[in-house]
Structure formats: structure tokens, C-alpha cells
């Protein structure tokens, strides 16, 4: 975010014209809500009673019928999960939830991304069969697993698919599919994460078991599925799905459970290792502190380790695993830094070869890059260039795997779908969302794909503004730079993707500037003609020494509370820094 050569325009976040119907609100808070499309008290309601019915999801009736039959008959159920944080939390919700609802034999398997790749493949079916299940339930995957579902069905297994990824032209021949993004699905949102989908399945299953007096007949207490919401919150935020009202409710309720000490030991251990406090945990903490540590297991080693952390009921064991995840995350950071430097060198070479412009859609490849880190790398370079980026790594046997990240206005999975339609033999497989996708292709096809990707993205960029810009919620007065106002903002919303945390801008005098921890920049700021001194910190700054000697700057910041040795003070978390003098 701190590239002096990439100056951004700071513009006010636009506010709709609809008349607000809030009660008494702080005027800044009202402005923040209006800029995010909220106009009434009802939009602010985050109670579970406002969640839509799970029965609106198509396929739910068949899904629940099969699960009731399996529970009644004591059948063995195997959960097949994805290897990211959404997949891990989805797996934890499925295992714990089905056990709470009476399933006696529930196991799980998560593909090792370096050996098997993504989803329910025929090879994964062979591994699952070693568990001798009667039923497979996929979580956060399966909608594109045509061959894997076919192989499982041919082996006599019942296959239930729960997923949220966009379906292709052909659906797998599963016994039931629940996915809010299926064509003509009546659920009011396609933004559920995989963990949200399986949570909804469990809610429907519980209601059916209740109707059949299953809990009374078996003399067990009907479970409160709310105990799973810390998992749901973590997976939803970590998967960077849009935080519409449904997801805001799920995340908010999960945060409440954590803050009141009702989270699972694994989630609590991740919070402790991250240096955060249970009582003040926020959605951004889930995304930037817990999510990366959980994801590190799938990126660097085996996501089974992350799932074990989530599932254990032993706090000491959870902390032991959390420490291992923290070590893996540190390794990931080191590798990511090296890969980023190599990617920047490739970009400079591209600019040398073509002085006029970079490709509209950028492809980067290095045979030595780590498969588990290319997604983060693509995201970092996308942020730097403000255009779609795919980073590729070698997958062996003349195959390469790519991870794509996009910008608003360019639906990256649709881009890949269009390429596959025009060049049927170019892509081995692909799948994903509007903003992120994965793909595989042959190494010898990489040059042709890079050209096709640039061409297809260029067509879609005709109506997309590529100007670097950052949206601000305006300036704050010196009186609003307080702990009380910072707490008001923290409690005012469940901030995240497409419901962004408030940021503010302003011009400040720089009283002090210094480098901390080698890559972080610490500033002491004061409004011109003001009296209040405010600490500000910018994390992971490229060449932080260039900002030393700064006298006046324009900043965009989040208003935060710094807690150190029992003392609390206001702090700016800098999002953008621009030199004025």
C-alpha cells in the first residue's frame, strides 16, 4: 500500500440518496452506514432470527432426507474438505455438528494440495474408501467434481455435495447438492462461504429431526448449533466472501461467542498465539491474524493439522498445535517475501520489453515458487498493479498450477470460462469465484494462455476504471480522535469484504518517524494547528527508510485502540501514506 510511484486519488465514499430511517446516531456513524447501503434500523439487526430459512436452498430436502436416513441407520459418514481456512472450518462444523445431531461415525479427509490438488477427485475417492464409509459429504468443494462423484457412486457410496463455488455447465451426479449459487436457487444470497452452507444444512437437519421427535425418542437434548458459530465466523471472514446482512449476522454471532468465552479451544488458542484478546476480537482479526495461521497448514504442510486444532477439546493440545501453525505461518511469510521480490523483478523485465504498458491481465511464473503461496503472491501483485494477476508454480510432469486474483468489475472465473470456451484444450481444469480462482495447464501451453488471458481481460476492462484510488469516510475532528469514538466504530458493524471497515483521511504534521521491526513505520502525528499527538503505524512497508525525515503527509487510516501493558491509547493503522513535505 505504500508505493510512492503509485499515488492514489483519495475520494469520498459515495452516499445513496435514500432517506435514512435510523434512530439517534452519531453523524459520522450515520454517514458510514449510508455509504454502505444501510438505511434503516432493520439493516442493523444482527440477531439470528433475521436469518432466512434453510429450506429456501434448493436441494435441501434431498440433502436432509439422506442425512436423516444415515443417522437413523448408524451409517459411516466421511467428510471431504478443502485445504483452506473455509474448508477447515467447514470440516469442523460438519464433524462436530453431525455428532451433536446423533451421527455416531463421522470421519474426515482433506486432500494434500501438493499430492492430489483440489476437490473430490477419483484419487481422493480411493483414499476415502480406506475409511470404509457409506456416505461422502463434501464441504467447500464438490460442485466441479464430475469424475470424483462418478467414481464414488460407482463404488456404491452416497454422495452429498455442499459447496458455494460457482457451478460449471455440468453438475456432478450427486445424490443431493446444496449450493446457493445453483441456477434458479431461491436463497436470497449467493455469498455464503462453504462453512455457511454446511451450517445451514445442519440447521435444516436439526429442524427435521425435531419434527420427527428424534431427540425425544433417543433421550438426548436437542443441541444448540450456535456453539458452532465461532467456526462459521472464522471461515466466512477468512474466505473473503461479501459480508451481506446474512454473513454479517453469522460473523457477529460468532464473535459474540468468542468474546464471552464460549469459543472452541482451537479458536481460542489461535487468538492467543496471534497476540489478540478474546474480549475485543474483531472480524479483521479473524481475517488478518487467525485466518493466515490456519491457512498456513494447507499452504505449507497439511490442513489436517489445522482441522485437528479446531476439533480438539483439550486447550493444552490446541495451544501446542497453534504454536506449530504460527511457525508455519512465519515460514510462509519468509517464502512470500522472497517470491514477491522475484515477481517484482519479472514485472520490471516486462516493462523493459514493452515500455508502453504491462498486460491488462498479468501472468507470472517461476518454476521454484511454492504452490501454497502463489495465491497470496497474486493478491499482493494485484494490489500493486490494480489489475487481474495469476501467479503460477510448477506442479511436476509438465503441469503448472495457477492462482488468480482479480479487481472489482472483472469476474475472474468468467474470464477463465471464456478462455476455456475459445481454447478448449488450453486449460486442464479451473474453478473459483468472481475475485479468486485456481487453474491448471500444461507448461508448454503457458505462453499461449498468457496471451489469451491478457486478451480476455482487456475486453472486460473497457468499462472498468483502472485508476488507483482509495475510498475514505471523510475527515475526523480532533475531538473524534478518542478511545470512546474508536470503540463506537468497533462495535458499530461487522466489517469485511464489501462492507469495509471505516477509514478516514487527513493532512497531518509529522512530529516523529522511525522504523520498528525492520519493515514497519511508526509515526507521531498532529493535526495542523492542533494539540493532540496521535501514534500511527504502517505495517510491512516497502523501503521504510524513504519516509524518514517526513514533515507533512496525507494519510488514510483506520482508527484503532492500542493496548500495551494495561494502557490504552488511540492509534492510526495506516492504509495509505503520501508525502506533502
Amino acid at each position: 500500500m505504500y508505493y510512492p510511484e503509485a499515488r492514489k486519488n483519495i475520494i469520498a465514499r459515495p452516499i445513496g440518496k435514500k432517506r435514512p430511517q435510523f434512530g439517534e446516531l452519531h453523524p459520522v456513524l450515520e454517514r458510514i452506514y449510508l455509504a454502505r447501503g444501510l438505511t434503516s434500523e432493520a439493516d442493523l439487526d444482527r440477531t439470528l432470527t433475521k436469518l432466512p430459512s434453510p429450506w429456501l436452498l434448493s436441494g435441501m430436502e434431498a440433502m436432509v432426507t439422506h442425512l436423516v436416513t444415515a443417522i437413523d441407520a448408524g451409517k459411516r459418514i466421511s467428510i471431504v474438505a478443502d485445504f483452506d481456512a473455509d474448508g477447515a472450518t467447514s470440516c469442523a462444523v460438519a464433524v462436530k455438528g453431525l455428532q451433536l445431531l446423533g451421527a455416531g461415525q463421522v470421519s474426515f479427509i482433506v486432500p494434500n494440495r501438493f499430492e492430489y490438488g483440489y476437490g473430490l477427485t477419483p484419487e481422493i475417492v480411493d483414499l476415502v474408501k480406506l475409511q470404509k464409509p457409506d456416505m461422502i459429504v463434501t464441504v467447500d468443494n464438490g460442485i466441479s467434481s464430475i469424475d470424483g462423484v462418478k467414481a464414488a457412486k460407482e463404488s456404491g457410496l452416497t454422495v452429498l455435495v455442499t459447496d458455494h463455488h460457482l457451478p460449471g455447465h455440468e453438475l456432478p451426479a450427486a445424490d443431493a447438492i446444496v449450493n446457493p449459487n445453483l441456477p434458479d436457487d431461491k436463497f436470497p444470497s449467493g455469498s455464503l462461504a462453504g462453512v455457511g452452507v454446511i451450517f445451514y444444512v445442519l440447521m435444516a437437519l436439526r429442524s427435521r429431526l425435531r419434527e420427527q421427535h428424534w431427540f425425544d425418542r433417543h433421550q438426548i437434548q436437542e443441541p444448540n448449533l450456535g456453539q458452532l458459530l465461532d467456526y462459521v465466523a472464522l471461515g466466512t471472514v477468512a474466505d473473503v466472501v461479501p459480508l451481506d446482512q446474512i454473513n454479517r449476522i453469522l460473523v457477529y454471532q460468532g464473535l459474540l461467542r468468542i468474546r464471552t468465552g464460549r469459543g472452541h479451544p482451537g479458536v481460542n488458542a489461535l487468538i492467543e498465539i496471534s497476540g489478540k484478546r478474546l474480549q475485543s476480537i474483531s472480524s479483521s482479526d479473524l481475517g488478518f491474524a487467525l485466518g493466515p495461521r490456519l491457512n498456513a497448514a494447507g499452504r505449507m504442510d497439511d490442513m489436517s493439522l489445522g482441522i485437528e486444532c479446531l476439533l480438539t477439546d483439550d486447550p493444552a493440545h490446541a495451544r501446542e498445535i497453534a504454536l506449530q501453525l504460527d511457525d508455519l505461518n512465519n515460514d510462509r511469510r519468509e517464502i512470500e517475501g522472497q517470491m514477491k521480490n522475484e515477481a517484482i523483478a519479472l514485472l520490471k523485465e516486462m516493462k523493459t520489453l514493452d515500455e508502453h504498458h504491462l498486460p491488462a491481465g498479468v501472468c507470472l511464473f517461476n518454476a521454484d515458487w511454492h504452490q501454497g503461496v502463489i495465491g497470496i503472491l497474486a493478491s499482493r501483485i494485484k494490489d500493486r498493479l490494480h489489475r487481474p494477476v495469476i501467479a503460477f508454480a510448477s506442479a511436476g510432469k509438465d503441469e503448472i498450477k495457477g492462482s488468480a486474483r482479480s479487481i472489482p468489475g472483472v469476474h475472474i472465473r468468467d474470464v477463465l470460462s471464456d478462455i476455456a470456451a475459445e481454447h478448449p484444450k488450453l486449460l486442464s481444469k479451473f474453478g473459483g469465484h468472481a475475485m479468486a480462482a485456481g487453474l491448471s495447464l500444461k507448461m508448454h501451453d503457458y505462453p499461449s494462455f498468457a496471451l489469451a488471458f491478457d486478451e480476455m481481460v482487456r475486453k472486460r476492462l473497457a468499462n472498468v476504471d483502472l485508476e488507483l484510488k482509495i475510498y475514505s469516510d471523510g475527515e475526523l475532528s480532533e475531538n473524534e480522535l478518542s478511545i470512546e469514538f474508536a470503540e463506537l466504530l468497533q462495535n458499530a458493524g461487522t466489517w469485511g469484504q464489501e462492507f469495509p471497515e471505516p477509514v478516514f483521511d487527513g493532512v497531518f504534521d509529522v512530529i516523529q518517524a522511525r522504523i520498528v521491526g525492520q519493515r514497519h513505520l511508526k509515526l507521531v502525528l498532529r493535526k495542523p494547528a492542533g494539540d493532540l499527538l496521535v501514534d500511527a503505524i504502517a505495517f510491512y512497508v516497502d523501503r521504510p527508510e524513504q519516509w524518514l525525515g517526513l514533515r507533512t503527509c496525507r494519510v488514510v487510516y483506520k482508527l484503532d485502540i492500542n493496548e500495551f501493558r494495561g494502557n490504552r491509547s488511540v492509534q492510526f493503522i495506516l492504509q495509505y501514506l503520501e508525502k506533502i513535505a
Side-chain angles (χ1 to χ4, degrees), residues 120-130 136 148-149 151-152 155 157:
L120 181 67
T121 62
E123 293 80 10
I124 291 300
V125 172
D126 288 338
L127 286 180
V128 172
K129 285 159 59 177
L130 297 177
I136 288 175
V149 171
S155 298
L157 298 173

Side-chain angles (χ1 to χ4, degrees), residues 495-512:
W495 313 110
Q497 182 71 9
E498 295 189 19
F499 194 74
E501 188 172 357
V503 296
F504 308 96
D505 70 278
V507 173
F508 292 85
D509 294 330
V510 181
I511 308 304
Q512 184 186 92

Side-chain angles (χ1 to χ4, degrees), residues 332-346 366 368-378 381 391-393:
R332 186 271 305 169
R333 282 178 175 164
E334 185 174 339
I335 291 170
E336 178 197 336
Q338 179 181 342
M339 289 169 55
K340 183 179 175 183
N341 290 336
E342 292 166 350
I344 291 172
L346 287 174
N366 186 316
D368 296 326
W369 280 350
H370 195 293
Q371 279 187 46
V373 187
I374 52 175
I376 298 175
L377 177 66
I381 302 302
F392 287 90

Side-chain angles (χ1 to χ4, degrees), residues 33-46:
Y33 285 149
L34 291 173
R36 286 151 184 77
L38 307 188
T39 58
S40 69
E41 293 283 352
D43 294 332
L44 304 179
D45 194 333
R46 293 177 288 183

Side-chain angles (χ1 to χ4, degrees), residues 1-8 340 344 380-381 383-385 468 540-543 546-547 576-577:
M1 291 183 180
Y2 310 98
Y3 313 124
E5 70 274 16
R7 179 166 293 184
K8 299 184 180 182
K340 183 179 175 183
I344 291 172
R380 299 285 189 263
I381 302 302
D383 289 342
R384 190 181 188 98
L385 301 178
L468 291 171
Y540 301 106
V541 180
D542 283 353
R543 296 180 288 125
Q546 68 186 302
W547 302 104
Y576 175 71
L577 176 62

Side-chain angles (χ1 to χ4, degrees), residues 55 204-215 222:
W55 299 103
L205 175 59
R206 183 183 61 179
S207 71
R208 179 57 52 82
L209 292 172
R210 181 192 301 137
E211 290 171 4
Q212 297 180 357
H213 304 289
W214 195 92
F215 302 109
E222 181 178 321

Side-chain angles (χ1 to χ4, degrees), residues 261-306:
R262 295 176 292 164
H264 287 89
V267 175
N268 292 345
L270 288 170
I271 293 170
E272 179 192 350
I273 294 303
S274 302
K276 305 299 179 181
R277 295 175 66 248
L278 292 181
Q279 295 80 4
S280 59
I281 193 76
S282 68
S283 53
S284 62
D285 293 333
L286 298 182
F288 294 107
L290 275 68
R293 286 169 171 80
L294 185 57
N295 267 323
R299 294 188 188 281
M300 306 299 295
D301 188 12
D302 186 342
M303 185 46 94
S304 296
L305 184 67

Side-chain angles (χ1 to χ4, degrees), residues 10-230:
I10 301 171
I11 59 177
R13 205 179 292 278
I15 295 176
K17 296 181 180 180
K18 190 173 180 180
R19 185 173 180 179
Q21 298 179 8
F22 300 117
E24 291 187 10
L25 279 179
H26 190 290
V28 174
L29 196 54
E30 180 173 292
R31 186 173 78 229
I32 289 168
Y33 285 149
L34 291 173
R36 286 151 184 77
L38 307 188
T39 58
S40 69
E41 293 283 352
D43 294 332
L44 304 179
D45 194 333
R46 293 177 288 183
T47 57
L48 290 172
T49 57
K50 294 299 180 181
L51 289 175
S53 168
W55 299 103
L56 293 173
L57 286 155
S58 63
M60 189 64 83
E61 182 64 43
M63 176 74 61
V64 168
T65 298
H66 282 291
L67 288 172
V68 169
T69 299
I71 291 173
D72 271 337
K75 292 186 176 181
R76 295 184 294 273
I77 303 173
S78 182
I79 309 299
V80 176
D82 189 15
F83 40 65
D84 65 1
D86 187 17
T89 52
S90 298
C91 185
V93 167
V95 171
K96 290 264 190 183
L98 288 171
Q99 290 173 341
L100 287 170
L101 293 171
Q105 301 182 75
V106 185
S107 58
F108 75 87
I109 189 169
V110 57
N112 185 304
R113 76 193 306 156
F114 309 111
E115 295 181 44
Y116 299 103
Y118 170 78
L120 181 67
T121 62
E123 293 80 10
I124 291 300
V125 172
D126 288 338
L127 286 180
V128 172
K129 285 159 59 177
L130 297 177
Q131 298 178 347
K132 297 182 179 179
D134 303 296
M135 171 185 285
I136 288 175
V137 178
T138 71
V139 291
D140 192 33
N141 76 96
I143 199 65
S144 60
S145 300
I146 310 299
D147 295 337
V149 171
K150 181 181 178 182
K153 294 294 297 176
E154 288 175 349
S155 298
L157 298 173
T158 300
V159 182
L160 308 182
V161 169
T162 74
D163 201 352
H164 69 125
H165 295 92
L166 296 173
H169 297 299
E170 180 183 0
L171 294 177
D175 294 278
I177 301 175
V178 171
N179 182 332
N181 287 299
L182 288 178
D184 302 321
D185 197 278
K186 298 299 189 294
F187 195 73
S189 170
S191 297
L192 285 176
V195 69
V197 175
I198 186 62
F199 182 73
Y200 257 84
V201 168
L202 294 175
M203 286 198 294
L205 175 59
R206 183 183 61 179
S207 71
R208 179 57 52 82
L209 292 172
R210 181 192 301 137
E211 290 171 4
Q212 297 180 357
H213 304 289
W214 195 92
F215 302 109
D216 293 334
R217 286 189 286 111
H218 291 81
Q219 297 183 329
I220 64 173
Q221 185 175 357
E222 181 178 321
N224 176 12
L225 295 179
Q227 64 188 279
L228 304 174
L229 283 168
D230 58 335

